[in-house]
């Protein structure tokens, strides 16, 4: 797991990071970015721009082609661009790879405390704004700096570090077999709604310590919340209520789970702090891992290079995950950071209280660091997908473990998995924070069920991650499919799909 950073530590760049070549354009305080050159004399401040003329990050046009929007903004503004959010609120979108790292790694200039936002202080953010579940200040490490951040972040990191990795693999194997059983006999499936959107939340509810029956509604609520729809507030309320019940129960029934570890941690977290941190872990892990699984499966099934490498043993699933984390980060944007004082970023004048959005997807394809987007990046983890600096994602290892093991198990159970439609028919839906593959229809040889094999699959020793092969498409004879253990989850998900 990732260890907590000191807030203003001198952080070493990731190995192989192209943005930190000595004297290169990604070096800190490069002229024209954050250094003495500063903005031009006629550069307007954010609050001087006509908001109605700024490109919105929401709505049909933005959601239809977010990548095109980022490149349009990059062409017009460079590393940092003014944009419009819900409610006609202006913000800076950080597009450059090195500019994103600057914001992530200097909390003294760019705070996580959203109460600094000028729009909040002026009462311009509506209480029912779809931005609120994501950016409204809460008593947790995501919105803290300094000593308070170290106290809260330390508890979360220690709690996540206490997770049994073999237990993660067992949960993934069990739930993968359970999900595959539902469609294994048909020879056809849709892997986004039928697999990727369920597996992470199923596993995370177990790691957090929540009852299994909470899972189905949490899957729905998490998706709705991250889309920023009109019902996002209600979905957030459901998640909070479920977590509060879990915290109350764990006081009298502790266990080997994240909730218990947070309650018992020496940092002395209150019940409210525990609940809020569990909410962030649950929602962030679910959204990012759903997208990571879906996009990696899509790449494996459609990219001839990956299919050939995987079948030949020259590339592992972790390699595929690394490429996806560069090309299609699970979160396109992270909101946000707030300037602690007047400063300059990417040649733009940023005033105290301005909001900055971290453009992870845009930064990962910055032509300064990736002049050739077709060049493979196997093993290069200097992407922005998990952030950097004091607020780097503390659960990234668990998210990767769920994705790697889930894809391994799926490909083992369905070794002749293949796309059932032309790649050109695949579509995505986008919200301001993420891009989501709508559907991934596949076909395979129908599987016969083998009674009593599910528990064996769930308790089997963990295979090396990323070693499951994808043989050439064919039609081998039917093979047994492990029968997963049935339970309340099946009944509830059956009701949910009516």
């Amino acid at each position: 797991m990732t260890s907590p950073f000191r807030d203003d530590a001198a952080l070493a760049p990731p190995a192989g990071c192209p943005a930190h070549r000595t004297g290169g354009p990604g070096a800190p305080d490069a002229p024209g970015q954050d250094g003495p050159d500063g903005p031009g004399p006629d550069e307007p401040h954010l609050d001087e721009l006509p908001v109605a003329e700024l490109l919105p990050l929401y709505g049909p046009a933005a959601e239809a082609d977010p990548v095109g929007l980022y490149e349009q903004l990059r062409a017009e503004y460079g590393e940092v661009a003014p944009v419009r959010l819900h409610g006609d609120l202006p913000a800076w979108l950080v597009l450059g790879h090195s500019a994103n790292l600057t914001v992530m790694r200097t909390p003294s200039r760019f705070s996580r405390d959203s109460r600094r936002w000028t729009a909040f202080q002026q009462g311009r953010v509506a209480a029912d704004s779809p931005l609120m579940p994501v950016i409204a200040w809460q008593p947790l490490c995501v919105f803290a700096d300094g000593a308070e951040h170290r106290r809260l972040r330390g508890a979360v990191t220690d709690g996540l570090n206490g997770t049994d990795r073999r237990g993660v693999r067992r949960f993934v194997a069990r739930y993968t077999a359970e999900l595959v059983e539902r469609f294994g006999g048909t020879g056809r499936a849709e892997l986004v709604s039928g697999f990727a959107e369920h597996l992470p939340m199923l596993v995370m509810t177990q790691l957090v310590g929540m009852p299994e029956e909470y899972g189905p509604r949490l899957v729905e609520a998490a998706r709705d919340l991250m889309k920023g729809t009109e019902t996002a507030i209600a979905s957030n309320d459901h998640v909070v209520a479920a977590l509060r019940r879990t915290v109350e129960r764990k006081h009298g029934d502790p266990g080997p789970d994240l909730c218990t570890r947070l309650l018992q941690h020496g940092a002395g977290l209150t019940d409210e702090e525990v609940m809020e941190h569990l909410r962030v872990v649950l929602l962030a892990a679910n959204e990012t891992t759903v997208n990571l699984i879906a996009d990696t499966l899509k790449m494996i099934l459609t990219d001839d290079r990956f299919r050939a490498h995987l079948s030949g043993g020259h590339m592992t699933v972790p390699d595929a995950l690394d490429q996806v984390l560069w090309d299609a980060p699970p979160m396109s944007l992270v909101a946000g950071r707030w300037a602690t004082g007047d400063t300059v970023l990417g040649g733009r004048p940023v005033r105290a209280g301005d909001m900055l959005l971290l453009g992870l997807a845009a930064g990962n394809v910055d032509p300064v660091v990736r002049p050739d987007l077709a060049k493979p990046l196997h093993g290069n983890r200097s992407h922005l997908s998990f952030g950097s600096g004091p607020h780097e994602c503390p659960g990234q290892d668990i998210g990767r473990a769920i994705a790697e093991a889930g894809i391994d198990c799926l490909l083992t159970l369905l070794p002749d998995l293949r796309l059932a439609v032309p790649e050109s028919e695949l579509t995505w839906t986008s919200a301001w924070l993420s891009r989501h593959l709508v559907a991934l229809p596949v076909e395979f040889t129908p599987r016969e069920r083998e009674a009593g094999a599910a528990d064996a699959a769930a308790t089997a020793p963990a295979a090396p991650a990323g070693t499951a092969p994808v043989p050439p498409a064919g039609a081998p004879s039917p093979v047994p499919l492990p029968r997963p253990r049935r339970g309340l989850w099946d009944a509830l998900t059956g009701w949910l799909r009516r």
Side-chain angles (χ1 to χ4, degrees), residues 334-347:
V334 169
R337 298 292 193 275
W338 289 269
T340 60
D342 293 352
T343 186
V344 177
L345 183 71

Side-chain angles (χ1 to χ4, degrees), residues 196-279:
E197 288 188 349
H198 291 272
L199 181 64
M201 185 63 77
L202 280 168
V203 176
M204 288 305 301
T205 52
Q206 295 296 309
L207 301 183
V208 166
M210 303 180 78
E212 187 171 343
E213 59 266 26
Y214 283 18
R217 180 66 182 93
L218 285 173
V219 169
E220 268 197 342
R223 295 297 312 145
D224 185 61
L225 176 58
M226 298 308 294
K227 289 177 183 177
T229 66
E230 294 180 356
T231 56
I233 299 293
S235 293
N236 183 64
D237 290 343
H238 174 82
V239 173
V240 169
L243 288 170
R244 282 207 171 100
R245 291 194 298 270
T246 299
V247 171
E248 291 172 3
R249 182 171 57 84
K250 284 299 174 181
H251 277 295
D253 184 24
D257 51 67
L258 179 59
C259 183
T260 298
R261 289 192 290 273
L262 290 181
L263 287 170
Q264 296 177 350
H265 195 272
L269 271 63
T270 65
D271 283 7
E272 188 71 9
E273 289 172 335
V274 170
M275 184 278 295
E276 292 287 4
H277 285 88
L278 290 176
R279 170 185 172 273

Side-chain angles (χ1 to χ4, degrees), residues 368-456:
V368 173
V369 297
R370 289 187 68 190
D372 182 4
L373 295 179
K375 183 178 180 179
L377 291 163
H378 311 152
N380 187 332
R381 297 189 178 181
S382 57
H383 55 74
L384 302 174
S385 295
F386 293 126
S388 184
H391 292 277
E392 182 177 1
C393 175
Q396 58 185 276
D397 290 351
I398 291 178
R400 282 190 65 114
I402 293 173
E404 290 175 16
I407 293 171
D408 275 339
C409 292
L410 180 69
L411 298 180
T412 298
L413 292 171
L414 306 175
D416 64 335
L417 196 67
R418 55 196 178 272
L419 196 64
V421 300
E423 181 182 356
S424 59
E425 294 185 12
L426 299 179
T427 59
W428 281 259
T429 182
S430 300
W432 69 298
L433 293 177
S434 63
R435 185 171 181 258
H436 190 62
L437 183 63
V438 174
L440 189 63
V442 295
E443 56 188 10
F444 48 88
T445 302
R447 307 305 188 199
E448 295 177 353
R449 293 174 175 176
E450 181 179 350
D455 289 337

